[in-house]
């Protein structure tokens, strides 16, 4: 569940190299320059599974490009988030984690070890009527988080 080595986009499974090409093309479409630092970050993201923190991404980028500054990686990650190429997973009391998986999915978070798993639900079950009190609002997406103990921590 947590992190397979490939990513599905539009029903097709991409390997890390295809994912890297897809991320590069998406940057160009969004008007983001492909600097050497951003390209290394895109390659790291394409090879990453799970939900890495900014610190984990900085370490992986620095393993390839030791001179890159922390600020450069943070800025590039935020630009990718703003462009919609990656998402964020924010939890109270925890570091922001980045969502690499572009498929529609939800999360299970273990309250003991903190590990996060992607969970796929039938989207038809998540399309209730407009919630009371939000009739004048536009809902762009729905998120479900399950919290409990994973199999290893039980």
């Amino acid at each position: 569940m947590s992190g397979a080595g490939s990513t599905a986009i539009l029903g097709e499974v991409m390997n890390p190299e295809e994912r890297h090409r897809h991320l590069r093309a998406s940057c160009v479409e969004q008007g983001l320059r492909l600097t050497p630092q951003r390209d290394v970050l895109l390659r790291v993201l394409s090879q990453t599974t799970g939900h890495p923190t900014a610190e984990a991404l900085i370490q992986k980028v620095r393993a390839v490009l030791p001179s890159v500054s922390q600020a450069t990686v943070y800025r590039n990650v935020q630009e990718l988030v703003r462009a919609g190429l990656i998402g964020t997973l924010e939890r109270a009391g925890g570091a922001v984690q980045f969502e690499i998986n572009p498929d529609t999915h939800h999360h299970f978070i273990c309250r003991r070890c903190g590990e996060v798993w992607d969970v796929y639900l039938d989207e038809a079950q998540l399309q209730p009527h407009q919630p009371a009190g939000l009739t004048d609002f536009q809902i762009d997406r729905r998120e479900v988080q399950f919290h409990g103990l994973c199999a290893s921590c039980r």
Side-chain angles (χ1 to χ4, degrees):
M1 289 201 283
S2 171
S6 57
T7 303
I9 302 248
L10 303 175
E12 297 180 27
V13 176
M14 286 195 275
N15 65 38
E17 190 56 40
E18 292 167 330
R19 175 79 173 134
H20 181 240
R21 283 194 300 271
H22 174 78
L23 286 169
R24 285 176 56 96
S26 297
C27 280
V28 171
E29 288 172 14
Q30 295 288 328
L32 298 175
R33 287 184 359 173
L34 288 173
T35 63
Q37 296 88 345
R38 181 168 290 145
D39 194 46
V40 169
L41 175 61
L42 295 177
R43 187 163 299 282
V44 163
L45 288 168
S46 69
Q47 297 170 346
T48 299
T49 58
H51 304 84
T53 62
E55 282 303 316
L57 291 173
I58 289 167
Q59 289 175 5
K60 289 180 178 186
V61 168
R62 282 186 173 163
V64 177
L65 194 63
S67 63
V68 72
S69 74
Q70 182 173 331
T72 296
V73 176
Y74 276 124
R75 184 176 58 257
N76 277 278
V77 167
Q78 289 307 314
E79 287 176 3
L80 295 175
V81 169
R82 279 193 296 278
L85 300 179
I86 61 174
T88 58
L89 175 62
E90 299 182 42
R91 300 181 292 152
V96 173
Q97 293 174 279
F98 294 94
E99 182 64 69
I100 311 303
N101 182 352
D103 294 337
T104 299
H105 67 281
H106 306 279
H107 297 104
F108 176 88
I109 303 168
C110 180
R111 65 180 155 86
R112 184 169 292 150
C113 69
E115 185 71 27
V116 179
W117 284 265
D118 290 345
V119 176
Y120 296 87
L121 302 173
D122 178 3
E123 290 302 308
Q125 297 173 333
L126 299 175
Q127 300 298 326
H129 63 283
Q130 190 79 354
L134 297 179
T135 54
D136 293 333
F137 291 73
Q138 174 184 326
I139 297 174
D140 293 323
R141 77 174 200 215
R142 291 175 166 85
E143 270 183 35
V144 175
Q145 284 189 0
F146 297 96
H147 298 264
L149 293 174
C150 69
S152 298
C153 291
R154 287 183 67 198

